Amino acid sequence: MWRELRPIGRNGDSGGYRRYAWTGADTDCRAWFKAQAESRGLTYELDRNGNQWAWLGDPSQGNAVVTGSHLDSVPDGGAFDGPLGVVSAFAALDELRARKAAFRRPLAITNFGDEEGARFGLACVGSRLTAGKLTVDAAQRLTDADGVTLPQAMEAAGYDPEAIGPDPERLARIGAFVELHLEQGRALDLSGDPVGIASAIWPHGRWRFDFRGEANHAGTTRLVDRRDPMLTYAETVLAARREAELAGAVATFGKISVEPNGVNAIPSLVRGWLDSRAADQSTLDTVVTGIEKAAREYADRHGIDLDVVRESFTPVVEFEHALRDELGTILGGGTGRSVPVLGTGAGHDAGILSESIPAAMLFVRNPTGISHSPAEFAAEDDCVAGVTALADVLEGLACR
Ligand code: HGY
Ligand code: MN
Ligand code: MN
């Protein structure tokens, strides 16, 4: 499976993946998923929001156990964030078949569409639409950097954008969703465990800061005469770092666009996207309010107009304790051995779905903690441990 996925959407220069929603690379990933489903005799289904499903057993029976993740990536992402959960799901099913497990509940493997939000700016679009956490109206207005809207992109990729919307009937069939994911930190490396269980996802969001000044000649405009939004932007980036440090949170400006984007022109517009996350809501509020306040002070000083728009927000997710404890018991194997339970600052489809259905996550050790980068890595032994753990969990949930 890894061999087949390896070339899809891979950039030769960076070695990273550019698998953006509804592009050719995404289409190739989806074709791969469908082929994996069909080669195992699973019933393939595409839902109204473009999420893919591979069913073993009859979905209408209800109380299904579902596992999977996503196949799209951030710009120059690694091989594991997303695909590890999908590959491990198919491998866990193979393992359960080898064990001759008898399924008492329907089982499905999923690929949720557009998890990273790399193209349209909003993460987890497929699961948000399904859970009714993104309105059809708002989804239809999502636009990529080239001005292509989500409906246009879906249509160009051969999907029906008219069909998108909440899918409560589908969610009602699911008794438990378990997403396996590469850990995006070093907690398991430090504790010396190959696999852990998720406790919670930090509240997180994305804010767009538009700094508007005045375009002018870089060579002839005296410094005192400038209204340069790049200066205000730069000061805001430093403020973000300061506020996050003070609060024990994180804040990142990782994306920027500049107009007119000329070497010899003072910019008229600098647009920067802030991603900020914290362990609790009030800390996150403090950080973002502090950054915005600092930005407004700098803007006033330099004659810059500033607009701040919250583009997305995901509240704290505390995974259901009963399911989480069940996973702990299954993985402890009755030995009382405890599996680490850890929180994360990364968002996931499991977090979006957890408000509608019981959801849980398994994490696989990441020896460097690096993620959203071509350097993202997990050792083969740990990936195998992840598959075994997922198979044990699915067996415990679906076969007993
Ligand atoms: O956490 C994120 O940035 C995304 O939801 N994976
Ligand atoms: Mn990610
Ligand atoms: Mn992911």
Side-chain angles (χ1 to χ4, degrees):
M1 286 188 273
W2 285 118
R3 248 194 316 278
E4 288 169 10
L5 282 171
R6 191 178 148 78
I8 302 177
R10 188 165 187 271
N11 180 271
D13 294 332
S14 67
Y17 288 94
R18 299 178 183 177
R19 295 167 176 163
Y20 309 141
W22 314 114
T23 61
D26 190 40
T27 299
D28 291 349
C29 286
R30 289 164 172 277
W32 173 86
F33 181 94
K34 186 165 185 259
Q36 291 301 316
E38 289 173 349
S39 72
R40 287 173 175 80
L42 305 174
T43 307
Y44 174 76
E45 220 188 349
L46 180 72
D47 74 21
R48 57 188 297 185
N49 297 308
N51 306 307
Q52 296 181 294
W53 300 74
W55 285 94
L56 177 72
D58 178 7
S60 68
Q61 194 189 318
N63 199 23
V65 177
V66 180
T67 184
S69 190
H70 62 96
L71 294 173
D72 69 318
S73 79
V74 296
D76 284 327
F80 296 84
D81 178 355
L84 183 64
V86 180
V87 167
S88 298
F90 284 118
L93 174 62
D94 295 344
E95 161 73 9
L96 289 177
R97 282 178 160 166
R99 291 182 195 174
K100 303 208 183 319
F103 291 90
R104 301 158 72 95
R105 293 167 71 175
L107 180 85
I109 296 172
T110 53
N111 166 33
F112 280 101
D114 199 3
E115 195 276 347
E116 297 287 9
R119 182 170 176 190
F120 295 101
L122 178 68
C124 300
V125 169
S127 58
R128 275 186 213 270
L129 276 169
T130 300
K133 299 205 173 304
L134 168 64
T135 63
V136 173
D137 226 38
Q140 283 171 341
R141 284 199 303 271
L142 291 173
T143 306
D144 74 6
D146 298 323
V148 179
T149 65
L150 175 71
Q152 288 167 339
M154 286 183 79
E155 199 157 12
Y159 294 80
D160 176 13
E162 296 290 317
I164 62 170
D167 205 345
E169 293 86 16
R170 178 170 296 278
L171 291 178
R173 299 172 181 170
I174 304 172
F177 176 62
V178 182
E179 178 172 0
L180 177 144
H181 204 279
L182 177 78
E183 195 203 341
Q184 296 166 292
R186 288 193 54 225
L188 293 172
D189 186 54
L190 295 172
S191 71
D193 296 278
V195 174
I197 298 171
S199 57
I201 297 178
W202 284 14
H204 56 283
R206 299 178 181 186
W207 291 261
R208 198 185 77 222
F209 284 58
D210 291 349
F211 301 93
R212 286 175 208 278
E214 184 178 59
N216 212 331
H217 195 294
T220 60
T221 317
R222 296 186 316 159
L223 293 179
V224 290
D225 292 338
R226 297 179 181 209
R227 287 174 54 219
D228 183 351
M230 187 63 84
L231 286 180
T232 319
Y233 170 70
E235 287 175 309
T236 306
V237 173
L238 296 177
R241 171 69 183 223
R242 217 166 34 240
E243 293 292 330
E245 254 168 15
L246 277 173
V250 288
T252 310
F253 277 95
K255 178 175 163 180
I256 180 175
S257 84
V258 180
E259 289 177 16
N261 209 22
V263 180
N264 53 355
I266 297 160
S268 56
L269 169 70
V270 174
R271 179 168 277 165
W273 280 264
L274 168 71
D275 176 310
S276 187
R277 313 182 188 213
D280 61 77
Q281 176 77 54
S282 80
T283 306
L284 182 57
D285 290 345
T286 304
V287 170
V288 176
T289 309
I291 296 169
E292 185 174 340
K293 184 164 172 276
R296 292 204 181 281
E297 283 168 13
Y298 301 136
D300 284 348
R301 208 178 308 146
H302 297 297
I304 300 300
D305 295 323
L306 170 64
D307 284 318
V308 181
V309 180
R310 191 178 83 174
E311 291 198 332
S312 73
F313 183 74
T314 309
V316 65
V317 170
E318 182 76 32
F319 285 111
E320 194 197 76
H321 284 239
L323 183 59
R324 180 172 122 188
D325 291 348
E326 201 171 348
L327 262 56
T329 307
I330 293 168
L331 296 181
T335 60
R337 195 178 67 233
S338 72
V339 178
V341 178
L342 39 131
T344 176
H348 300 283
D349 294 309
I352 300 296
L353 296 177
S354 72
E355 277 183 54
S356 310
I357 55 174
M361 291 191 74
L362 293 176
F363 290 128
V364 171
R365 175 163 50 196
N366 175 341
T368 60
I370 291 176
S371 179
H372 285 187
S373 146
E376 192 177 85
F377 179 72
E380 191 169 330
D381 282 354
D382 288 348
C383 293
V384 172
V387 170
T388 306
L390 183 61
D392 290 346
V393 164
L394 298 177
E395 187 173 26
L397 295 174
C399 304
R400 284 186 201 137

